[in-house]
Amino acid sequence: HKDKKTRHFSKYLLILLILGFQVRLVGSRNRFEGRVEVLYNGAWGTVCDDEVNINLAHVVCRELGFSSGLTWAHSAKFGEGRGQIWLDNVWCSGSESSLSECRSNGWGVSDCTHAEDLGVICNPDQPNHHQVRVSNTSGSLRLDEVRLRPVLTATQSAAMVTEGVLEVRHAGKWRQVCSLGWDLSSSRVACGMLGFPSAEQHDTRVYRKLWDSKMEDPATRSAARKKAFWVERVQCSGSEVSLAQCRAQLSVPRHDVPCSGGMHAVVRCVPGAQFSRSSASRRPQAAVRLKAGARLGEGRVEVLREGKWGTVCDHLWDLTAASVVCRELGFGSAREAPRGALMGQGTGPIHMNVVQCSGRESSITQCRFQEVPRYSCKHSQDASVRCNVPNTGLSAKVRLAGGRQAAEGRVEVLMEVNGQQRWGSVCSENWGINEAMVVCRQLGFGFASRAHQETWYWPSSSGSEDVLLSGTHCIGTENSIQQCSRNGQVYCPRGGGARAAGVTCADAAPDLVIDAQLVQESAYLEDRPLRLLTCAHEENCLSSSAARMTWPYGHRRLLRFSSRIMNLGRADFRPRASRESWTWHQCHRHYHSIEVFTHYDLLTLNGTKVAEGHKASFCLEDTYCPEGLTKRYACYNMGDQGITVGCWDTYRHDIDCQWVDITDVRPGDYIFQVEVNPSLDMAESDFQNNVMRCRCRYDGARVYLYGCHNGDAYSAEAEDLFEHQRQISNNFL
């Protein structure tokens, strides 16, 4: 029985070793005291102060390299933490070598709040050790920050450093890493921290020659001896997300040369396809994508299965699985693995749950996972990632001037003019939200909330008044404004100065999505008399042929449907126009805040428009909010207009202009399309899901909508397959 318990305990410690358990003290200026935080399952969390005694303080302090604990502090003396409360009712005998060996309720089982976060104060007198050996079950040696110092001429000129001598930050100083024991697996981990998906072998002979020549110089050898400590014997499996999870030790240089018998470790990283200049390195489309992320390398995780995109449920979602996603997309390892739809909720299926990866997989589809039974997981539990991205230097080529805060101002770019680098402004001709999005992302400021074509209220920097960039047109996925298409020669009829381009950036943005199922289920035909269409005619909601009819006699054939627009983003959707410029509509008896908010179109199968309908103006309000959310916007009594995060704005089939006039359309097969925010007048975190399409069959008396889906719900190959099947079906009929 005792052997069985021993085996069980050993297995428990092995699991903790794999998960990378660590402990740290935060929230104090002194290193020997602070709030206790533990790293478990890739996420930092706190410890509750219930049932704590001095033995726990002793265990924590010894684990951190101190001789003992002096006391412990309750009620969040060192500030309240964030995230999980990992441990509660912790009991230590005092003989444990790690807090993970103490008894508790279990990981994440707690009834505490962060107002009960535990702190400890350790004896500041540390024992003197010539060598401090630290494994990945201890938090004394934190190798969370790394850099490459290029020493070869070829790499020094590059904006993005991919090869060089590795240095790690420890105790506020940059330390070199000894090459003894360093291998390609350790390089892979270091490259992941630097934003690169993989590593490759470098030319060791060149670096060895440089090292030997330096060590022959007494002055250089003396300087190396003054570095005091080196990081040695780093051992990684290659699956770690950080060097902090690898075994390592600090040691005093022995003899006259540090890292005796070795040299400084050198790393060569391989950049992802989007950062590589070589077209040969382009990868085929991955089976995973990131959506609605504010910055490069972050977003909601969506996986492609059987031609359809779907999300991942966050049960047991951790840094290891997130890192597989990041590397698959050409980034480094994951910095964070957010849960709870932190990047907004997705739509459609949830493809994966309880994803478990070893860290060595080339794709998340190779990891073990469970299928998602219906209703067992919701989109409020969608998993996200924040990846390490390389320092490309692109953020130094654009800046914002004159704004009241850092995330707003007139856009100024660094361009080469006559062989010299100069700062200048950007022409605002055709300057829109896509261009503004690229600038905000390039600067690391998140989304663009506004694209300004007049910036007279933001003065430019001295010497940057001249327009150096014009005709700018961005898709929205570029890494820098300089990568967008532009005029070969500067041409700006609007001029610069007060009419130069500007942006306002924000951390969060709304995301409007059309409920495709409701459109499909609610569609029908109505022959509506002209006498009932006066308001609709006033708002230009009928086809042009209606004007040639003898009013009020006759009727129009209308394809009617309901639409529900959901805000699944992280910020409320607000109209761009101020309240003073809203338009009063006598027919509807309320103010409209947006012109042409949604297009309704009937297209031929090759995309030619045969009928269209649009509400000439819209009033935005919270028609329905789920339980727990409060309606904030209403149309009547000149109420504030918008759509709250998580709420819907519903347009019923029986209101004016909620149709397409198909009076002049012949029977046949068509594509029915609804597009929200078609002119991109308002900012969103994702514009690709603004279009909804249905297959439409009209036989002259009835209409059938089927296969309704959002524009980016399927892969391009699946869309092509649907079209091929349609052609076969038509030929058969």
Side-chain angles (χ1 to χ4, degrees), residues 122-331:
C122 302
N123 187 340
D125 296 328
Q126 285 184 289
N128 294 321
H129 290 300
H130 182 70
Q131 293 185 350
V132 182
R133 183 171 182 81
V134 184
S135 72
N136 62 354
T137 58
S138 175
S140 302
L141 182 58
R142 298 291 300 165
L143 305 181
D144 283 329
E145 192 174 354
V146 300
R147 70 181 182 186
L148 293 182
R149 179 170 55 84
V151 295
L152 300 180
T153 305
T155 58
Q156 285 176 335
S157 61
M160 183 173 63
V161 178
T162 59
E163 179 179 339
V165 174
L166 181 71
E167 295 181 345
V168 299
R169 192 173 183 86
H170 174 66
K173 295 182 179 180
W174 287 101
R175 318 280 187 176
Q176 293 188 7
V177 179
C178 182
S179 64
L180 297 178
W182 186 269
D183 57 15
L184 207 55
S185 294
S186 300
S187 291
R188 183 177 189 265
V189 177
C191 288
M193 297 174 67
L194 292 167
F196 302 105
S198 60
E200 61 184 7
Q201 188 60 48
H202 62 278
D203 190 343
T204 56
R205 293 175 299 176
V206 174
Y207 287 95
R208 188 75 215 191
K209 187 175 180 179
L210 286 173
W211 173 263
D212 292 340
S213 64
K214 285 184 177 181
M215 290 300 103
E216 291 175 359
D217 183 3
T220 304
R221 190 165 60 247
S222 176
R225 189 164 55 244
K226 290 180 181 179
K227 285 187 177 293
F229 285 95
W230 274 46
V231 177
E232 293 192 334
R233 300 184 183 180
V234 179
Q235 298 177 4
C236 304
S237 67
S239 61
E240 298 88 352
V241 300
S242 168
L243 289 177
Q245 297 178 342
C246 302
R247 292 181 177 274
Q249 73 179 42
L250 288 177
S251 62
V252 176
R254 293 177 294 276
H255 309 297
D256 290 334
V257 181
C259 185
S260 180
M263 54 179 270
H264 45 220
V266 178
V267 173
R268 176 187 286 176
C269 302
V270 179
Q274 66 271 48
F275 304 107
S276 175
R277 296 180 180 178
S278 172
S279 59
S281 65
R282 298 291 176 186
R283 301 180 182 179
Q285 182 182 6
V288 64
R289 68 183 182 186
L290 302 183
K291 300 286 285 184
R295 294 167 181 82
L296 183 65
E298 68 178 43
R300 181 179 62 250
V301 179
E302 295 192 354
V303 180
L304 185 65
R305 294 188 66 192
E306 298 179 355
K308 192 167 187 178
W309 290 101
T311 61
V312 177
C313 192
D314 63 8
H315 292 160
L316 298 185
W317 183 249
D318 59 12
L319 280 173
T320 304
S323 293
V324 172
V325 170
C326 291
R327 292 183 190 273
E328 183 177 0
L329 292 171
F331 302 109

Side-chain angles (χ1 to χ4, degrees), residues 2 99 109 126 151 213 434 469 473 525 552 590 667 679 686:
K2 185 176 181 179
L99 180 61
V109 181
Q126 285 184 289
V151 295
S213 64
N434 272 341
L469 197 62
H473 177 71
L525 291 181
H590 58 233
S679 303
D686 185 5

Side-chain angles (χ1 to χ4, degrees), residues 95 410 428 587 693 719:
S95 61
R410 183 179 297 185
S428 63
C587 288
R693 297 185 182 92
E719 293 279 10

Side-chain angles (χ1 to χ4, degrees), residues 526-581:
E526 180 190 10
D527 291 334
R528 192 163 182 83
L530 286 181
R531 58 185 174 82
L532 300 178
L533 294 172
T534 305
C535 276
H537 190 48
E538 173 191 321
E539 294 190 13
N540 298 316
C541 294
L542 301 175
S543 297
S544 57
S545 62
R548 299 190 294 269
M549 298 183 69
T550 305
W551 285 73
Y553 306 105
H555 68 272
R556 304 296 294 181
R557 174 156 290 185
L558 308 176
L559 168 54
R560 307 198 69 145
F561 59 95
S562 296
S563 67
R564 181 166 58 195
I565 300 171
M566 302 173 286
N567 181 4
L568 299 181
R570 304 293 291 175
D572 292 355
F573 185 86
R574 300 299 307 280
R576 181 177 177 179
S578 61
R579 186 189 297 263
E580 294 77 17
S581 60

